[in-house]
């Protein structure tokens, strides 16, 4: 290789080669601090969702990458002009979709502190404080949700990644040389995984990624409250054994995606023990509620699990992304994923723990810091008080539904989730899924109206809701979880729903 002679740079050129000068950076940071504080303070005045057509944002941004650097002020003004109006504002107090996302001031501060550190938490040596803080916050959450000390954990980005790793361990323990030789080389049987029909699709995604096959995730029927029927689980396992499949794992969900229903974990655990299945608990949403003494019944059967996933970014106020996979005896997870290439060997000695050994990711963000900031800022009491308020608001909203004959609850209220359905001017139907036949007409037209209500509200920019299907019928769903959502906001959303329902009924029945 030919080496060019060393260039001598002028002061000005030298400056351009490095970072922003310290005084300018300080000024930018102050401007950004004001920007963030203003954004939080004025978020109520923003549309929750944009009214843009797809592609409208790209159409306003130069397609050519910039040749010359641009000043930060100009970039920030473009954030105001293009990005903020082009967002669905998940932090908005009228955003009630999914699980009621939240942003908090300590969460933002935690993210800001993390940015300048910008470490790679792959091994203890490359990031001692990140590694030890991760171990600490994992154990704080473990204590809060009453998991026994034999559960150790690792922070991933999402619950989908968590269940994939858990099932990889289950697969390795059921067919010990898969890690080395692959499924075919190891002569592995056709494995089966069981999850309720209400469980999250991450079960199938994990089966796809692990070469187990999407169709080998068997969905188990649920009861009237959308909880897994354990007798049906037993029957399906028995049938699969008879048909030559190898039952591998069951997934019990604590807080399902649509209704936040809770599977009977203790009964499922008993069946897993009997048939020697791995028990994974998907507590992505619901497990966080176990920090409330009044919700401790949620934890029944957890100590019998092999793994459990908890998403503090869903219910414990930590900003996306932060998901913890706990495994009973974490060494089982390490055995499946540890692999140290030569260039990293030096940095794996004298380890407290090398988190790169507990998953497929090598490079890892310092996620524990933001969790530590949040947990210390709120304390368990502060988080519990906020969760209690979300439960109170969910039940208050459910009372409003019960008091309006044109609506009915479509599922029992669970944690911060309410599923309901517009049924029109009819006598209340005895069952949610049979829906009344009022002026609004058949169940199909009621489905259209319910979907239309959500679409119209979301398009209005005043609030944001979710629609889902329960027993084949379209229902409206709200999730309470945003610390900015007050009773006043909720009342406004309810009035909006009532008003839009009347309009939708007129349009869809005329
Ligand atoms: C019950 C449940 N499990 C798992 C997931 C997947 O979560 P993640 O986005 O963290 O992968 C979701 C997503 O909403 C969920 O509702």
């Amino acid at each position: 290789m030919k080496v060019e002679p060393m260039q001598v740079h002028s002061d000005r050129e030298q400056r351009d080669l490095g970072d922003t000068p310290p005084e300018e950076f300080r000024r930018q940071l102050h401007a950004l601090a004001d920007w963030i504080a203003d954004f939080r303070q004025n978020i109520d005045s923003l549309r929750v969702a944009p009214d843009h057509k797809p592609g409208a944002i790209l159409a306003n941004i130069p397609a050519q990458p910039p040749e010359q650097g641009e000043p930060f002020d100009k970039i920030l003004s473009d954030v105001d002009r293009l990005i903020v109006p082009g967002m669905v504002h998940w932090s908005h107090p009228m955003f009630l979709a999914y699980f009621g996302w939240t942003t908090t001031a300590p969460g933002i501060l935690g993210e800001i502190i993390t940015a300048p550190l910008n470490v790679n938490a792959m091994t203890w040596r490359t990031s001692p404080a990140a590694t030890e803080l991760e171990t600490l916050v994992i154990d704080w959450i473990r204590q809060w949700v009453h998991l026994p000390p034999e559960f150790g954990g690792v922070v991933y980005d999402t619950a989908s990644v968590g269940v994939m790793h858990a099932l990889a361990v289950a697969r390795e323990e059921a067919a010990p040389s898969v890690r080395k030789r692959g499924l075919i080389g190891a002569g592995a049987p056709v494995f089966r995984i069981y999850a309720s029909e209400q469980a999250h699709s991450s079960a199938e995604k994990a089966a796809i990624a692990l070469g187990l096959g999407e169709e080998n995730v068997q969905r188990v029927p649920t009861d009237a409250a959308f909880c897994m029927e354990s007798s049906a689980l037993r029957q399906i396992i028995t049938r699969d054994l008879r048909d030559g499949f190898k039952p591998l794992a069951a997934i019990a969900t604590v807080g399902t995606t649509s209704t936040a229903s809770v599977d009977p974990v203790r009964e499922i655990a008993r069946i897993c023990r009997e048939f020697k299945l791995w028990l994974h608990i998907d507590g992505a949403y619901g497990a966080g509620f176990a920090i409330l003494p009044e919700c401790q019944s949620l934890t029944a059967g957890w100590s019998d699990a092999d793994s459990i996933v908890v998403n503090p970014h869903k219910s414990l106020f930590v900003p996306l992304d932060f998901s913890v996979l706990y495994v009973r005896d974490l060494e089982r997870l390490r055995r499946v994923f540890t692999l140290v290439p030569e260039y990293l060997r030096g940095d794996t000695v004298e380890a407290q723990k090398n988190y790169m050994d507990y998953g497929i990711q090598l490079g890892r963000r310092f996620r524990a810091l933001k969790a530590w900031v949040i947990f210390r800022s709120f304390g368990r009491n502060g988080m519990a008080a906020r969760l209690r308020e979300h439960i109170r608001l969910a039940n208050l909203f459910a009372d409003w539904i019960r008091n309006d004959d044109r609506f009915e609850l479509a599922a029992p209220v669970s944690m911060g989730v309410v599923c309901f359905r517009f049924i029109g001017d009819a006598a209340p139907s005895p069952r949610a899924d049979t829906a009344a036949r009022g002026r609004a007409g058949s169940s199909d037209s009621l489905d259209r109206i319910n979907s239309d209500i959500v679409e119209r509200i979301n398009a209005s920019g005043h609030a944001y809701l979710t629609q889902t299907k329960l027993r084949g019928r379209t229902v409206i769903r709200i999730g309470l979880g945003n610390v900015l959502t007050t009773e006043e906001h909720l009342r406004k959303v309810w009035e909006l729903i009532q008003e839009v329902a009347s309009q939708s009924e007129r349009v869809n029945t005329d």
Side-chain angles (χ1 to χ4, degrees):
M1 193 177 86
K2 186 166 171 280
V3 180
E4 297 295 330
M6 229 171 67
Q7 271 185 303
V8 179
H9 298 288
S10 68
D11 281 357
R12 165 80 212 179
E13 282 169 338
Q14 192 64 51
R15 220 185 70 165
D16 289 347
L17 292 177
D19 204 357
T20 307
E23 280 314 312
E24 195 178 334
F25 180 50
R26 189 177 300 277
R27 189 187 56 74
Q28 292 168 348
L29 274 177
H30 282 290
L32 184 64
D34 282 336
W35 186 92
I36 294 171
D38 288 344
F39 175 78
R40 281 300 275 167
Q41 195 169 354
N42 301 325
I43 193 162
D44 236 328
S45 64
L46 297 176
R47 282 181 65 96
V48 187
D51 55 0
H52 296 17
K53 296 269 176 295
I57 296 155
L58 266 182
N60 279 302
I61 302 177
Q64 294 301 317
E67 202 61 38
Q68 302 299 334
E70 296 177 73
F72 179 67
D73 300 347
K74 181 160 182 286
I75 298 169
L76 192 57
S77 78
D78 279 350
V79 171
D80 278 326
R81 188 172 63 85
L82 299 169
I83 307 300
V84 173
M87 300 287 292
V88 170
H89 287 289
W90 287 58
S91 316
H92 197 291
M94 303 283 269
F95 180 91
L96 298 177
Y98 305 101
F99 285 122
W101 209 254
T102 199
T103 305
T104 65
I108 295 171
L109 295 174
E111 289 279 27
I112 293 173
I113 302 169
T114 311
L117 299 177
N118 192 29
V119 295
N120 189 334
M122 55 188 186
T123 67
W124 178 85
R125 228 206 224 178
T126 61
S127 206
T131 301
E132 295 188 21
L133 210 58
E134 181 162 340
T135 305
L136 179 87
V137 294
I138 286 170
D139 203 62
W140 280 3
I141 300 168
R142 180 195 66 72
Q143 294 174 49
W144 277 333
V145 304
H146 312 283
L147 272 179
E150 60 264 29
F151 281 85
V154 52
V155 177
Y156 297 134
D157 51 0
T158 56
S160 305
V161 168
V163 66
M164 188 199 74
H165 283 90
L167 292 177
V169 184
R171 188 188 64 177
E172 191 64 24
E173 293 191 1
S177 48
V178 169
R179 172 189 155 141
K180 220 182 197 99
R181 295 163 56 208
L183 281 163
I184 296 172
V190 180
F191 289 117
R192 281 269 155 107
I193 297 155
Y194 309 94
S196 97
E197 62 194 10
Q198 293 293 319
H200 191 259
S201 50
S202 49
E204 276 85 359
K205 284 267 185 103
I208 293 168
L210 294 171
L212 299 175
E214 180 183 353
E215 285 182 2
N216 288 314
V217 177
Q218 294 290 295
R219 294 295 187 146
V220 181
T222 56
D223 63 17
F226 304 99
C227 310
M228 187 193 282
E229 290 203 31
S230 51
S231 57
L233 172 64
R234 178 184 291 282
Q235 278 168 17
I236 296 174
I237 294 173
T238 309
R239 181 206 65 195
D240 278 355
L241 281 169
R242 196 187 53 225
D243 294 348
F245 294 104
K246 169 92 176 131
L248 177 69
I251 299 172
T253 309
V254 175
T256 56
T257 310
S258 284
T259 69
S261 59
V262 178
D263 287 337
V265 180
R266 210 192 293 261
E267 290 168 33
I268 296 169
R270 212 170 292 133
I271 294 171
C272 287
R273 254 201 316 275
E274 184 183 331
F275 291 97
K276 301 198 168 37
L277 264 66
W278 181 283
L279 171 58
H280 176 74
I281 299 176
D282 179 354
Y285 172 60
F289 283 82
I291 75 168
L292 293 172
E294 61 270 35
C295 290
Q296 269 200 41
S297 59
L298 282 178
T299 65
W302 290 11
S303 55
D304 290 327
D306 293 284
S307 56
I308 173 166
V309 79
V310 183
N311 269 13
H313 73 227
K314 280 191 166 59
S315 49
L316 290 178
F317 308 98
V318 180
L320 185 78
D321 45 20
F322 191 99
S323 176
V324 188
L325 173 72
Y326 291 94
V327 177
R328 191 155 43 77
D329 181 8
L330 195 61
E331 179 57 19
R332 300 159 87 189
L333 177 63
R334 203 190 67 83
R335 274 200 296 270
V336 179
F337 286 102
T338 182
L339 194 146
V340 184
E342 277 312 317
Y343 82 102
L344 285 172
R345 201 164 292 282
D347 271 338
T348 58
V349 294
E350 61 170 10
Q352 189 261 349
K353 194 171 247 167
N354 295 319
Y355 277 110
M356 71 168 196
D357 283 343
Y358 297 83
I360 55 169
Q361 244 187 303
L362 171 62
R364 311 172 71 253
R365 294 188 65 210
F366 185 2
R367 293 194 180 92
L369 185 60
K370 62 186 177 184
W372 190 60
V373 174
I374 283 269
F375 295 161
R376 291 186 60 189
S377 301
F378 285 173
R380 195 203 63 84
N381 282 340
M383 292 198 290
R386 288 171 176 85
L387 287 179
R388 255 184 218 117
E389 174 64 1
H390 301 152
I391 294 174
R392 183 188 78 81
L393 289 176
N395 283 287
L396 179 69
F397 189 85
D399 283 342
W400 296 338
I401 304 271
R402 287 189 193 95
N403 289 328
D404 186 331
D405 285 348
R406 300 183 311 151
F407 291 85
E408 66 181 7
L409 289 174
V413 179
S414 180
M415 300 177 242
V417 174
V418 187
C419 292
F420 59 101
R421 180 165 157 87
F422 176 75
I423 53 171
D425 289 328
S429 64
R431 286 189 45 207
D433 57 342
T434 55
R437 312 277 187 272
R439 191 154 56 79
S442 68
S443 284
D444 283 350
S445 71
L446 281 175
D447 282 350
R448 258 196 318 279
I449 294 172
N450 279 278
S451 178
D452 194 49
I453 293 169
V454 175
E455 291 293 323
R456 280 169 184 257
I457 289 175
N458 292 355
S460 77
H462 294 308
Y464 204 91
L465 317 176
T466 315
Q467 53 181 309
T468 186
K469 289 251 185 209
L470 291 177
R471 309 260 183 261
R473 299 266 69 101
T474 303
V475 306
I476 306 173
R477 180 188 174 292
I478 64 162
L480 275 306
N482 188 337
V483 295
L484 297 184
T485 305
T486 61
E487 189 171 324
E488 185 56 31
H489 290 109
L490 197 59
R491 197 174 292 281
K492 276 196 214 149
V493 171
W494 174 227
E495 284 165 9
L496 188 61
I497 292 169
Q498 289 174 307
E499 186 189 315
V500 173
S502 303
Q503 292 164 9
S504 285
E505 187 182 25
R506 268 198 304 279
V507 171
N508 282 280
T509 51
D510 280 350

